[in-house]
């Protein structure tokens, strides 16, 4: 038997249904904020992700890149932001000259080491807001993100930071390099590499972050100019005003290189308010559209992992309100009565009520057993007597009562049923 690809999962019911329920709820919330859905391709030209200024581990080491049959270098999208920004430019959505809010759901691919909450094929929901540099947009997205997780009853907290503008980031980078150079002997092999190529990524290290020298690493906030400092303070003030719980984490730099100014992540908290896991992250990225060959556009966005959200919900025994079993299960005692049974099946489905038929040729006893394991509220039983008289037996599996109904009384019963 051929097995599935490592790090990629089949979603067998009820997992498939959980996914739909979660998406449905998030889509509703996105629309409350006047965002419009965008669907972009799974494949992009590699340059969309492999840009000169993008040196993150994720883009360099984890993308699925290949040449197609026409010798084009393509990449299976590892994240949504760059593809959505490409689509914003290509579809000239900037002609609107106002704020453009785009949301999406999609499957993304990263060649990671699979573990709980880290897959090679995973799903995200996300939002990207184009064409405004205002910190009110940072607030709008952060507030929306906390609303989404709150609506699922999860206890979360926003962790945020400011990286400042391009100059601040450059200054900070060289400071970080200087600082970690002092601790070269204590760095893990990956961080030694990062020290040369991408020193900010050391701050993401899950190995070195527990070491003492790590805690005293320089803060990004010391390198902000007055403007960046002011906009960050204004944002924090508004978060306080709206009572959105947050924590300033002055070493949060995020895993992608397109960010500047505000960056944030959202963590799920334990009962004693320890961050257990990051559910999603985002921030401001004002240079990406230029890197993609367009005009400079101020943007702010967020993406959350759907599998991570579902894992968190499963742990709180969240009620997904999964679809009910078919309300009716129709059993015929003989092949001869099938036509009659099928017309009843159609009648029920015409009323938009879920029903199933005992298609499999098996004993009456196993047909009844199947109806019960399916958890149908009603069994409809058709034997010779019912067929001859054009009636049916309606058995209520909850009360264990049954009655014989004429076809027309059954139609009336359907009419009056609560869907
Ligand atoms: P990211 O932090 O790389 O950001 O991913 C966002 C979320 O996607 C993560 O917090 C996590 O929940 C989920 N995720 C990422 N990788 C995996 C994986 N291998 N397995 C399972 N879940 C995963 C971005 O992707 C940015 N595009 C976010 C953004 C939007 N920034 C601005 N706009």
């Amino acid at each position: 038997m051929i097995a599935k690809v490592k790090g990629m999962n089949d979603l067998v019911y009820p997992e498939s249904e959980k996914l739909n329920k979660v998406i449905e709820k998030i889509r509703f919330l996105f629309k409350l904020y006047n965002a419009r859905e965008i669907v972009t391709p799974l494949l992009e030209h590699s340059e969309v992700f492999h840009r000169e200024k993008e040196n993150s581990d994720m883009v360099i080491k984890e993308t699925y890149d290949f040449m197609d049959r026409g010798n084009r270098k393509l990449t299976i999208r590892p994240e949504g932001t760059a593809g959505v920004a490409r689509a914003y430019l290509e579809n000239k959505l900037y002609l609107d000259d106002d704020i453009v809010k785009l949301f999406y759901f999609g499957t993304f691919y990263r060649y990671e080491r699979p573990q709980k909450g880290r897959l090679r094929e995973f799903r995200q929901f996300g939002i990207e807001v184009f064409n405004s540099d205002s910190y009110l947009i940072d607030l709008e997205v952060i507030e929306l993100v906390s609303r989404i997780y709150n609506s699922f009853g999860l206890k979360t907290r926003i962790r945020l930071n400011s990286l400042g503008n391009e100059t601040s980031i450059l200054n900070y980078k060289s400071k970080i390099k200087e600082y970690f150079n002092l601790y070269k002997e204590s760095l893990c092999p990956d961080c030694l590499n990062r020290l040369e190529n991408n020193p900010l990524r050391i701050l993401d290290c899950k190995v070195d972050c527990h070491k003492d020298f790590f805690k005293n690493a320089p803060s990004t906030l010391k390198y902000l100019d007055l403007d960046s400092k002011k906009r960050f303070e204004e944002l924090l003030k508004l978060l306080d005003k709206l009572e959105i719980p947050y924590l300033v984490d002055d070493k949060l730099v995020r895993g992608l290189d397109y960010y500047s100014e505000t960056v944030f992540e959202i963590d799920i908290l334990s009962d004693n308010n320890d961050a257990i896991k990051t559910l999603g992250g985002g921030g401001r990225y004002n240079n990406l559209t230029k890197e993609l060959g367009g005009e400079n556009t101020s943007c702010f966005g967020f993406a959350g992992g759907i599998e991570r959200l579902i894992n968190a919900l499963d742990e709180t025994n969240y009620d997904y309100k999964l679809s009910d079993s078919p309300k009716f299960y129709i059993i015929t005692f003989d092949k001869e009565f099938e036509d009659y049974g099928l017309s009843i099946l159609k009648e029920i489905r015409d009323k938009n009520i879920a029903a199933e038929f005992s298609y499999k040729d098996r004993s009456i006893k196993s047909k009844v057993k199947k109806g019960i394991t399916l958890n149908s509220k009603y069994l409809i039983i058709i034997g010779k007597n019912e067929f001859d008289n054009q009636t049916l037996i309606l058995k209520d599996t909850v009360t264990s009562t049954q009655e014989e109904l004429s076809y027309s009384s059954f139609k009336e019963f359907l009419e009056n049923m609560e869907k």
Side-chain angles (χ1 to χ4, degrees):
M1 198 192 63
I2 303 170
K4 61 187 158 70
V5 175
K6 187 174 169 185
M8 307 198 181
N9 288 330
D10 301 315
L11 296 185
V12 176
Y13 181 90
E15 298 312 310
S16 49
E17 178 90 355
K18 287 181 186 174
L19 176 73
N20 289 334
K21 290 285 177 184
V22 163
I23 290 178
E24 202 180 293
K25 192 169 174 124
I26 299 174
R27 180 178 279 122
F28 172 81
L29 291 170
F30 277 146
K31 287 184 178 172
L32 282 189
Y33 286 69
N34 190 33
R36 296 282 180 260
E37 188 156 2
I38 183 160
V39 179
T40 62
L42 209 64
L43 297 181
E44 295 280 356
H45 290 290
S46 290
E47 305 91 281
V48 170
F49 305 107
H50 293 274
R51 301 177 308 278
E52 206 185 309
K53 289 194 174 163
E54 185 61 67
N55 290 309
S56 59
D57 282 6
M58 189 273 273
V59 167
I60 291 177
K61 297 190 194 153
E62 295 172 1
T63 50
Y64 285 85
D65 304 310
F66 66 97
M67 302 298 282
D68 78 357
R69 290 170 194 270
N71 257 348
R72 295 173 199 90
K73 196 159 187 254
L74 303 181
T75 295
I76 313 183
R77 60 185 184 188
E79 57 112 25
T81 311
V84 171
R86 195 263 318 133
Y88 170 83
L89 294 172
E90 196 162 347
N91 294 284
K92 298 191 172 56
L93 300 183
Y94 47 81
L95 292 179
D96 191 349
D97 198 34
D98 204 333
I99 287 164
V100 176
K101 291 183 193 168
L102 303 173
F103 73 85
Y104 52 92
F105 299 95
T107 311
F108 300 89
Y109 297 80
R110 297 183 189 177
Y111 196 80
E112 304 225 40
R113 196 173 312 134
Q115 49 193 284
K116 192 170 161 54
R118 199 164 283 286
L119 298 155
R120 289 188 176 167
E121 179 187 76
F122 61 97
R123 289 162 185 82
Q124 284 184 345
F125 62 93
I127 179 159
E128 312 296 345
V129 182
F130 295 86
N131 215 4
S132 168
D133 194 29
S134 165
Y135 60 83
L136 293 181
I137 293 300
D138 305 18
L139 177 77
E140 165 105 334
V141 173
I142 294 174
E143 194 267 329
L144 162 60
V145 168
S146 25
R147 185 187 296 272
I148 289 176
Y149 290 100
N150 282 346
S151 78
F152 287 101
L154 292 175
K155 189 173 173 199
T156 55
R157 182 176 54 210
I158 300 286
R159 194 159 34 81
L160 80 169
N161 193 18
S162 175
L163 304 175
N165 59 24
E166 267 188 290
T167 320
S168 317
I169 297 172
L170 277 178
N171 290 340
Y172 182 66
K173 255 188 199 163
S174 66
K175 195 73 205 171
I176 278 285
K177 197 165 177 173
E178 220 174 85
Y179 178 81
F180 283 115
N181 236 323
L182 301 174
Y183 299 94
K184 238 175 161 172
E185 276 71 52
S186 315
L187 290 178
C188 73
D190 272 349
C191 281
L192 265 182
N193 224 333
R194 290 172 185 139
L195 191 60
E196 285 317 309
N197 306 319
N198 200 349
L200 283 194
R201 290 285 86 74
I202 300 177
L203 296 169
D204 287 335
C205 182
K206 300 288 174 279
V207 181
D208 289 341
C209 68
H210 305 293
K211 299 177 182 163
D212 274 348
F213 65 86
F214 197 91
K215 298 188 179 83
N216 299 323
S219 156
T220 61
L221 300 175
K222 273 199 176 159
Y223 296 85
L224 304 185
D225 69 5
L226 269 183
D227 272 0
S228 301
K229 211 169 158 193
K230 191 148 186 290
R231 73 189 308 291
F232 193 53
E233 281 168 3
E234 292 297 330
L235 173 64
L236 298 184
K237 253 191 234 161
L238 287 169
L239 287 171
D240 284 330
K241 198 164 171 109
L242 296 184
E243 296 181 0
I244 297 171
Y246 69 85
L247 184 80
V248 174
D249 172 356
D250 65 358
K251 298 189 185 70
L252 174 67
V253 291
R254 302 273 304 130
L256 288 140
D257 283 335
Y258 47 57
Y259 295 108
S260 55
E261 306 294 349
T262 312
V263 285
F264 77 107
E265 294 189 339
I266 184 157
D267 297 321
I268 180 138
L269 300 183
S270 67
D271 287 342
N272 41 7
N273 290 343
D274 293 329
I276 303 175
K277 192 155 211 102
T278 301
L279 295 171
R284 182 156 285 287
Y285 54 99
N286 290 345
N287 298 312
L288 179 60
T289 50
K290 196 164 165 203
E291 288 175 32
L292 292 170
E295 289 288 310
N296 234 5
T297 316
S298 301
C299 316
F300 193 92
F302 168 85
I306 300 187
E307 286 80 359
R308 287 207 193 160
L309 170 59
I310 291 178
N311 284 343
L313 293 177
D314 285 347
E315 276 164 27
T316 62
N317 291 324
Y318 177 76
D319 177 8
Y320 291 90
K321 302 208 166 46
L322 300 177
S323 304
D324 291 335
S325 336
K327 217 152 219 136
F328 291 93
Y329 188 68
I330 302 175
I331 298 166
T332 51
F333 280 13
D334 197 285
K335 271 211 145 332
E336 233 186 290
F337 320 141
E338 275 175 2
D339 284 11
Y340 179 49
L342 289 173
S343 59
I344 294 173
L345 178 70
K346 181 170 183 302
E347 192 76 46
I348 300 171
R349 289 179 175 162
D350 284 350
K351 296 273 177 308
N352 294 328
I353 301 172
E356 179 59 297
F357 190 81
S358 59
Y359 286 106
K360 270 275 209 209
D361 195 11
R362 37 161 78 126
S363 70
I364 306 296
K365 201 169 152 203
S366 9
K367 285 184 175 182
V368 172
K369 205 165 148 200
K370 174 73 190 176
I372 288 169
T373 51
L374 252 187
N375 226 354
S376 292
K377 166 110 168 81
Y378 298 104
L379 302 185
I380 290 183
I381 301 163
I382 299 161
K384 179 156 177 27
N385 189 32
E386 290 72 46
F387 176 69
D388 288 345
N389 300 324
Q390 295 289 286
T391 60
L392 54 89
I393 306 269
L394 182 71
K395 184 177 168 70
D396 185 322
T397 60
V398 179
T399 59
S400 279
T401 52
Q402 65 179 55
E403 58 183 325
E404 186 173 350
L405 293 179
S406 69
Y407 194 57
S408 57
S409 324
F410 177 65
K411 275 168 76 170
E412 225 170 89
F413 172 82
L414 280 182
E415 236 20 282
N416 297 326
M417 235 179 97
E418 226 182 276
K419 302 274 154 67

